[in-house]
Amino acid sequence: MSQIIAIHSFRGGTGKSNIVANIAALYAATGQRVGVVDCDIQSPGIHILFGLDENRVAHSLNDYLWNKCSIREAAYDVTPQAGVPFSGPLFLIPASIRAGEIARILREGYDVGLLNDGFHRLISDLKLDVLLIDTHPGLNEETLLSIAISDTLAILLRPDQQDYQGTAVAAEVARKLDVPRMVMIVNKVPQVFNPAEVEARVEQAYQCNVLAVLPHSDDLMVLASSGIFVLRFPDHMLTSILRQIASKLLKPDEPSQL
């Protein structure tokens, strides 16, 4: 049974795309067929993590939304080639990085209903086990759709007052949309903070399960989106936590080999 997992944050800069890319790689490494859609159409960037050269992108998610191509034509095999044995393919549907096309989205918009059709078509055409949606921060039409059709919504936040307030809005909206399962992930937590206290505070504030508290990592910062962290640092403590997140994001009745 295929699963749709949306990773969302109310504010930018939470590390959302990094989390999505690393979780996708972990799933593919265990043999699952994985798709990733960059729905951050106004500020795309996850393609950089997967090493997808923009010159290779003949069609993007934008083209599909403007009826210039099928969603399958906008899907690129980005299965990592880093000497790691991958038994499952990893596909990315990138958003356009071209300034003119981003401006057109902002100016003209698009038929958001096509996203719903596209998500399900991807699952069918590519026989996906997991579809990960990298949402646009905040709340807009495509974000609401991504949240509404997901089986699991993971809301990412930092231990920051602005994040706390905005996340409350996102959580309230998700509940009104009757998302089957909502969880929280706290990222970029300073070493001086007690992870257990952060977890307890977030769970109490939102009445929602916290999957993990991720510490700030200088190693991740130095990598600077030049690759996928779990592949570069397979024995790192952060990689261990990301494996736990990937496993917990799957439905309880779904097997995990992570």
Side-chain angles (χ1 to χ4, degrees):
M1 188 71 177
S2 301
Q3 297 189 51
I4 299 177
I5 301 173
I7 310 292
H8 181 62
S9 63
F10 189 80
R11 299 177 66 227
T14 58
K16 175 172 54 64
S17 294
N18 249 303
I19 297 289
V20 172
N22 279 278
I23 289 173
L26 287 169
Y27 287 150
T30 62
Q32 299 191 69
R33 298 181 64 85
V34 184
V36 176
V37 183
D38 188 354
C39 282
D40 193 355
I41 300 175
Q42 298 175 25
S43 51
I46 197 171
H47 62 281
I48 295 172
L49 287 154
F50 288 112
L52 178 61
D53 187 341
E54 61 187 84
N55 294 319
R56 179 187 159 198
V57 178
H59 296 293
S60 66
L61 180 62
N62 305 56
D63 294 313
Y64 165 71
L65 295 173
W66 292 326
N67 292 304
K68 291 183 177 180
C69 70
S70 68
I71 192 69
R72 176 65 183 85
E73 290 176 292
Y76 297 84
D77 188 336
V78 292
T79 307
Q81 305 294 323
V84 179
F86 273 77
S87 50
L90 176 51
F91 299 96
L92 172 66
I93 296 79
S96 175
I97 195 64
R98 296 183 177 90
E101 296 188 356
I102 294 173
R104 179 182 173 186
I105 283 285
L106 294 173
R107 184 176 63 250
E108 301 178 14
Y110 55 89
D111 181 1
V112 177
L114 280 173
L115 272 178
N116 184 46
D117 297 337
F119 292 153
H120 291 289
R121 175 61 64 183
L122 277 172
I123 291 171
S124 175
D125 288 356
L126 299 176
K127 298 179 174 56
L128 299 179
D129 297 305
V130 182
L131 179 65
L132 288 162
I133 303 173
D134 184 7
T135 69
H136 179 67
L139 294 173
N140 56 20
E141 208 172 355
E142 72 259 22
T143 297
L144 293 175
L145 174 64
S146 300
I147 290 174
I149 71 167
S150 62
D151 299 301
T152 297
L153 168 67
I155 300 180
L156 197 63
L157 70 154
R158 296 164 299 186
D160 177 275
Q161 289 301 319
Q162 293 184 69
D163 278 25
Y164 282 137
Q165 186 174 43
T167 298
V169 176
E172 181 181 358
V173 168
R175 289 192 170 100
K176 289 182 178 179
L177 291 172
D178 294 324
V179 175
R181 181 174 176 239
M182 179 173 66
V183 295
M184 301 279 177
I185 300 170
V186 190
N187 196 25
K188 300 185 178 181
V189 177
Q191 299 289 346
V192 295
F193 284 23
N194 183 314
E197 292 179 0
V198 172
E199 179 177 337
R201 178 181 179 185
V202 172
E203 288 190 341
Q204 181 179 18
Y206 306 113
Q207 296 300 300
C208 183
N209 182 39
V210 173
L211 287 193
V213 175
L214 290 160
H216 168 82
S217 170
D218 286 339
D219 292 327
L220 179 61
M221 295 297 291
V222 171
L223 187 58
S225 298
S226 63
I228 296 177
F229 187 86
V230 297
L231 303 182
R232 298 283 188 92
F233 300 93
D235 300 319
H236 199 283
M237 179 191 68
L238 187 60
T239 296
S240 177
I241 299 175
L242 287 166
R243 284 198 183 98
Q244 294 174 31
I245 292 173
S247 180
K248 292 176 181 178
L249 278 174
L250 295 174
K251 292 178 185 175
D253 58 344
E254 294 291 335
S256 171
Q257 301 174 346
L258 295 165

